[in-house]
Amino acid sequence: IHQDGQSVDPVEQTIFEDDYSLVSGKSTSLSNYTNLLKEAGILANHPNFEYAAVGDGKIDVRAAGDGSIWFPAANDKTLVVRSINIKGVTNLKVIFSLVGQNANKINANQMKVKAGDSYLAELEDVLLGGNTDYKTFELEIGNLNQDELTLSFEIGAIPEGVRLGDLKVVGLK
């Protein structure tokens, strides 16, 4: 509300964003990368934030592909993005990019995305590009009656690795 008493319509804002540019060297563990984000002040609005992995595949952050999270080919694996502060935010969306190790080997819809315990809409049935030919996806999360958001990116055994880049959560605030 303005000083004159008029209400202000909420506007779409970026709530969380990571382009994975802080990684130095070939690769960094998720816990070390989370610490880099904290040290850089990027997580000031997200005090409980954490990147974590579940499953047998070794997910890490890599400089390759212009900075990305790497999902290796073998085994089931899940990237968990915990505790994004969404207090007072509505109409949430997650926007992210995917690319395969090589073009035309992996279907985008093999990646499943969850907000909390709920699966979001299935990604389109399209082959991913390779190298740095990322394809961007936007999924509606909607309104959640909670202060923090946890996202999960799940993928089973695939013929070759996949990179996730440019993760962003937006919403009305």
Side-chain angles (χ1 to χ4, degrees), residues 61-108:
V61 186
R62 299 197 174 182
D66 297 332
S68 58
I69 291 195
W70 173 249
F71 293 80
N75 305 315
D76 291 345
K77 56 230 151 261
T78 300
L79 170 70
V80 181
V81 185
R82 283 194 184 102
S83 301
I84 298 170
N85 179 3
I86 58 167
K87 189 171 186 172
V89 182
T90 59
N91 296 75
L92 290 159
K93 294 185 264 189
V94 60
I95 303 164
F96 58 94
S97 301
L98 294 174
V99 69
Q101 185 174 354
N102 294 293
N104 301 320
K105 302 279 187 183
I106 307 291
N107 240 335

Side-chain angles (χ1 to χ4, degrees), residues 13-173:
Q13 298 179 29
T14 297
I15 307 306
F16 175 80
E17 185 171 22
D18 195 350
D19 64 3
Y20 307 106
S21 61
L22 286 182
V23 67
S24 58
K26 184 180 175 188
S27 67
T28 301
S29 71
L30 293 173
S31 60
N32 286 345
Y33 186 74
T34 300
N35 288 335
L36 286 173
L37 292 173
K38 287 178 182 175
E39 291 165 8
I42 293 169
L43 299 178
N45 293 328
H46 309 282
N48 302 317
F49 181 90
E50 171 188 34
Y51 279 118
V54 177
D56 295 324
K58 184 179 181 277
I59 298 172
D60 59 16
V61 186
R62 299 197 174 182
D66 297 332
S68 58
I69 291 195
W70 173 249
F71 293 80
N75 305 315
D76 291 345
K77 56 230 151 261
T78 300
L79 170 70
V80 181
V81 185
R82 283 194 184 102
S83 301
I84 298 170
N85 179 3
I86 58 167
K87 189 171 186 172
V89 182
T90 59
N91 296 75
L92 290 159
K93 294 185 264 189
V94 60
I95 303 164
F96 58 94
S97 301
L98 294 174
V99 69
Q101 185 174 354
N102 294 293
N104 301 320
K105 302 279 187 183
I106 307 291
N107 240 335
N109 65 5
Q110 291 179 266
M111 179 73 73
K112 309 295 183 207
V113 184
K114 286 170 59 173
D117 294 329
S118 300
Y119 283 99
L120 302 179
E122 188 170 287
L123 298 182
E124 59 189 291
D125 184 9
V126 60
L127 287 171
L128 294 176
N131 196 16
T132 57
D133 185 19
Y134 283 91
K135 177 156 181 55
T136 300
F137 300 91
E138 180 175 307
L139 297 176
E140 300 284 332
I141 298 171
N143 299 324
L144 301 176
N145 189 20
Q146 58 198 48
D147 291 345
E148 293 183 331
L149 169 66
T150 294
L151 294 170
S152 301
F153 296 84
E154 305 174 350
I155 196 162
I158 45 180
E160 58 183 38
V162 169
R163 291 186 186 91
L164 180 145
D166 297 326
L167 175 63
K168 186 188 301 189
V169 175
V170 299
L172 296 181
K173 187 169 182 175

